[in-house]
Amino acid sequence: MPEFKPRPYQIKAIEALASGWDGPKNRLAVVLPTGAGKTVVFANLISQKLDQLNGQRALVIAHREELLEQAAAKVRAVRPDLRVGIVKAQRNEHQDVDVIVASIQTLAVERRRKALQDIGLIIVDECHHAAARTYMDVLEHFGAWRGLPVAGFTATMTRQGGGLAEVWEEVVFTLDILDMIRDGYLVDIRGKRVVVEGLDLDKVKTRNGDLQDGQLGQALEDSDAADVVADAYRQFASDRAGVVFTPTVATAQSMADSLNDIGISSAAVWGDMPREARQTALKWYEAGEVQVLTNCAVLTEGFDAPHTSCVVVARPTKSPGLYCQMVGRGLRPAPGKADALLLDVMGASTRHKLASIVDLTSRTASTPKDGQSLRESVEEEEFAAPIGSVEWEDVNLFHDSPVRWLQTDAGIWFVPLTPRMFLFLVRGAKPGGYRVRRWDSGMGVRPPTPDLEAPLAETMRWTEDQARRLVHPSYLERTARYRSRPPSPKQRSWCRFNRVPIPAGSTAGDVSDLMDIHATGRALRDYNIAAAA
């Protein structure tokens, strides 16, 4: 099996750990969103580090026993050169291996951890649990407080009850979920509020900083939330595979029952159910034999089903970390998967500050508008400050020009040249002054030489002159003959794929404008226009 080539950010994470260990700190953490491929990072990290361990081995600590096989298989897939053994129950595969994968439950038994010798590197998966006494004892045993290199990996460095600062001395690398969405490593997400009338969350008490599971589950049951969720799923996600997160086993079962009652095949899974039954349900979901998995305390970590494109958070939470763990299960890309849908169950609450979609990113974001994705919401705010607030004084200059000037949704005027190139205007430093910029797919945003600032009319004339030099003048004309024809099949197909609605009666020219506005707006959102201005 071929090795997995690390992505650029995975290489940076490995380099950050190696550099950090060169200093005085040895207990270092990396925060990567769900789907970022942390196994690729620590498998390659182990492979690089083994040469420096003088015959010692790496120990990977998993949070639950059922995740051991998955972790070991992934390490073998990523680095076939590594010899991997599993330590659990009756299995003691720690002789003649490079990597030992063991659960924290097994290592909590003193004789089991004492049997593991020559450990020179520790990897802690789901390291936000590491403040627990069991972890502290295990890490102490192997030398974490005596200089042994330790790397922790998690999607969120938060834990109810705190104490993580006692374990992890520094977070050396973080990656925001929005960066992964922008780079195409995760899909974008759109949210829908599912309001359950009669769900009074103010009556639910808190425990360890979050809503108490039992009371929350009862409140959901009393308000008939299961039927509301099922109806919302049928309305918004009838063609999507999904997972539903609930606070109790009873609510997981009632959610599955309500979904099945309306014809959406579902199965419930929970932590204490017989392992064979749980594995059967997971296989049904993976094979598409059931459309929805409802769950209690079992799918927040280690669950990998990329075809999941809907996440229902029917477990309102005050913990951004838990929220990110839940929603992240639906963001992995898969063939034919354009985005993910979040159905966020809401109730009346005035005294609890609940986590929401904006907690998925550390960027400044307002709650997305109806139908707007997380990325679109954040970029709207980032983009609006430098350019979106421009008040164009002489809009008629654009409309009266024979050249096809168009305007993006963010208010930027531009002249499309080819599918890979356009010219656009930005406001200058002086009142009434403007500058021209060029964008092409290979170079991004570039200023001209010299980069002059001039009044609007003069800047427009210069832009139009440059446009005629770059493409045939007929392409720029508002009155070009092709524009009056009906839209072509190719245009319609492009708009369907990119979700650009075509108004009734549109001509080929109208659709061409819509396509250019969509493509230009998307291109400019990927660049820092403020820096280019």
Side-chain angles (χ1 to χ4, degrees), residues 122-197:
I122 297 178
I123 305 294
V124 182
D125 196 10
E126 306 295 354
C127 71
H128 54 283
H129 295 290
R133 185 71 259 167
T134 304
Y135 275 91
M136 301 280 272
D137 290 342
V138 170
L139 292 174
E140 167 64 30
H141 170 82
F142 287 107
W145 275 267
R146 299 187 300 277
L148 186 84
V150 184
F153 291 84
T154 181
T156 171
M157 190 57 80
T158 60
R159 177 183 182 272
Q160 298 169 1
L164 286 170
E166 298 177 23
V167 182
W168 306 111
E169 296 173 284
E170 185 177 356
V171 176
V172 295
F173 185 83
T174 62
L175 184 66
D176 193 87
I177 199 169
L178 196 66
D179 294 323
M180 294 197 65
I181 291 173
R182 283 172 168 165
D183 292 340
Y185 294 124
L186 297 177
V187 299
D188 203 357
I189 185 165
R190 301 177 188 276
K192 285 280 187 184
R193 292 164 54 92
V194 179
V195 179
V196 179
E197 298 294 340

Side-chain angles (χ1 to χ4, degrees), residues 4-33:
F4 286 59
K5 183 179 179 181
R7 297 168 178 170
Y9 67 83
Q10 293 169 336
I11 294 174
K12 290 181 180 178
I14 294 170
E15 292 172 345
L17 286 165
S19 176
W21 283 327
D22 287 338
K25 299 175 182 178
N26 68 295
R27 302 188 306 279
L28 308 177
V30 167
V31 178
L32 294 172

Side-chain angles (χ1 to χ4, degrees), residues 278-414:
R278 183 167 63 249
Q279 291 300 319
T280 298
L282 293 174
K283 289 178 181 177
W284 286 343
Y285 180 70
E286 185 177 354
E289 295 177 32
V290 296
Q291 182 178 346
V292 179
L293 279 182
T294 67
N295 86 101
C296 169
V298 72
L299 300 183
T300 53
E301 297 170 354
F303 173 67
D304 187 6
H307 74 294
T308 301
S309 65
C310 180
V311 175
V312 181
V313 177
R315 195 261 177 261
T317 178
K318 299 171 71 172
S319 168
L322 174 58
Y323 190 88
C324 292
Q325 290 276 5
M326 291 187 286
V327 178
R329 299 299 148 190
L331 302 187
R332 294 179 187 270
K337 181 177 173 180
D339 59 15
L341 175 66
L342 166 65
L343 298 181
D344 222 344
V345 175
M346 301 287 181
S349 178
T350 57
R351 70 185 186 90
H352 298 305
K353 184 183 184 303
L354 301 176
S356 67
I357 190 171
V358 297
D359 289 300
L360 297 176
T361 175
S362 60
R363 309 290 172 80
T364 301
S366 299
T367 301
K369 302 169 186 174
D370 188 41
Q372 189 179 44
S373 73
L374 176 65
R375 175 178 174 175
E376 291 166 351
S377 175
V378 172
E379 289 179 343
E380 181 178 89
E381 294 204 12
E382 292 177 344
F383 204 53
I387 297 202
S389 59
V390 171
E391 295 177 4
W392 297 97
E393 297 86 357
D394 298 305
V395 174
N396 284 341
L397 287 174
F398 297 100
H399 295 321
D400 293 340
S401 171
V403 171
R404 190 166 64 107
W405 283 93
L406 299 173
Q407 190 177 28
T408 71
D409 293 337
I412 303 166
W413 288 97
F414 69 99

Side-chain angles (χ1 to χ4, degrees), residues 210-213 216 220 245-247 313-317 322 326 345:
D210 202 2
L211 300 179
Q212 200 272 334
D213 288 340
L216 179 57
L220 289 163
F245 291 92
T246 70
V313 177
R315 195 261 177 261
T317 178
L322 174 58
M326 291 187 286
V345 175

Side-chain angles (χ1 to χ4, degrees), residues 65-74 76 86 88 91 101 275:
E65 285 199 6
E66 63 188 40
L67 301 179
L68 294 184
E69 298 285 356
Q70 178 179 310
K74 284 188 176 181
R76 292 189 187 104
I86 292 177
K88 70 167 186 176
R91 295 176 67 176
V101 183
R275 182 178 179 183

